[in-house]
Amino acid sequence: ARKNQIKRMQKQRSVLLKRMIKPTDQRLKAEDRAKTAKPNKKSTDGELKTIERTQVSSAMFFQYNTQLGPPYHILVDTNFVNFSIKNKLDIVKTMMDCLYAKCTPYITDCVQAELEKLGPKYKLALRIIKDPRFERLPCMHRGTYADDCLVQRVTQHKCYIVATNDKDLKRRIRKIPGVPIMNVALNRYVIERMPDAFEPMAKKLNP
């Protein structure tokens, strides 16, 4: 019975995904019925334009990310580790002091590769990210450019907070709804775009 129920749900889901608006649907606007000419073929009256829309994540509920919550999963960028070392901050402890909850930092393969490329000067940073409290995330893409990897991950999975001090990466993350950003400021960690009590403090420290 359980297997039949799962099959029925999968079938219903596939039907919903394949469903298209019929040409006779009243919700269809007049401009969407514009004729589209095709090469070497006669154009038909009432031919519809196919419009592709990016699907909104199911985790978003009126711009509020329902997947966020303790324990927090935090994607750590290369320069975030370096800024933490400069400010003499224990990464895991300071994260928990900032969010008042258990935090799990995640290091991707490309972030580790970036630190290895920086040479022996960053041996301490490499030693820190190999701490057993840090979780590793394997990368399937080519190259070692971490920014694109982090942006792609938080676009697909809304359960992460991105820890970075990179201005370009922060600008890109801000365009993705529901993804908070953690950065180093005033010898501590500051969170922005976090719901409730954290948001006013982040705005005050990051004008």
Side-chain angles (χ1 to χ4, degrees):
R2 176 71 176 170
K3 287 183 179 178
N4 291 334
Q5 187 180 2
I6 291 169
K7 284 181 180 179
R8 190 164 63 251
M9 288 174 69
Q10 288 176 342
K11 190 176 179 181
Q12 288 174 352
R13 189 180 178 188
S14 64
V15 169
L16 287 170
L17 289 171
K18 292 177 182 177
R19 188 173 62 186
M20 293 182 69
I21 296 177
K22 294 180 180 179
T24 54
D25 199 304
Q26 294 179 355
R27 295 171 294 175
L28 205 60
K29 294 180 181 178
E31 56 264 25
D32 292 333
R33 298 177 183 275
K35 296 176 184 179
T36 54
K38 292 183 179 179
N40 302 323
K41 287 185 180 180
K42 292 181 180 179
S43 60
T44 57
D45 292 337
E47 190 173 354
L48 300 177
K49 291 180 180 179
T50 304
I51 302 171
E52 292 186 4
R53 304 287 187 192
T54 53
Q55 188 176 358
V56 179
S57 171
S58 59
M60 299 302 296
F61 180 76
F62 289 106
Q63 300 298 311
Y64 180 80
N65 189 350
T66 57
Q67 286 188 1
L68 277 179
Y72 293 104
H73 307 285
I74 303 172
L75 282 174
V76 180
D77 189 25
T78 310
N79 59 28
F80 186 83
V81 179
N82 296 331
F83 270 87
S84 298
I85 293 169
K86 285 178 184 177
N87 287 271
K88 299 179 180 178
L89 297 172
D90 182 298
I91 292 176
V92 179
K93 183 180 180 300
T94 317
M95 281 178 177
M96 290 194 287
D97 289 343
C98 177
L99 293 171
Y100 303 104
K102 184 182 177 182
C103 299
T104 306
Y106 287 83
I107 296 289
T108 60
D109 288 344
C110 49
V111 168
Q112 182 170 344
E114 275 189 357
L115 283 169
E116 288 170 353
K117 275 187 173 182
L118 292 172
K121 189 180 176 182
Y122 294 89
K123 276 186 179 178
L124 179 58
L126 279 169
R127 199 184 310 156
I128 287 170
I129 65 170
K130 287 177 182 177
D131 188 299
R133 294 176 295 176
F134 284 70
E135 296 283 342
R136 285 294 299 276
L137 290 175
C139 294
M140 305 302 291
H141 60 84
R142 292 182 179 180
T144 59
Y145 186 59
D147 288 12
D148 291 342
C149 175
L150 297 177
V151 169
Q152 187 179 3
R153 282 183 189 275
V154 296
T155 304
Q156 292 175 348
H157 310 287
K158 302 288 184 182
C159 60
Y160 294 112
I161 296 170
V162 179
T164 182
N165 270 58
D166 189 311
K167 289 181 180 179
D168 293 331
L169 180 57
K170 284 199 284 187
R171 195 178 300 116
R172 291 174 68 182
I173 297 295
R174 286 186 188 113
K175 293 178 183 178
I176 306 168
V179 181
I181 301 168
M182 181 180 282
N183 64 296
V184 184
L186 305 175
N187 291 321
R188 60 176 173 173
Y189 294 163
V190 176
I191 193 89
E192 65 173 89
R193 297 177 68 192
M194 197 73 174
D196 303 324
F198 297 106
E199 197 171 343
M201 185 179 73
K203 285 181 179 177
K204 187 177 179 182
L205 295 172
N206 289 301

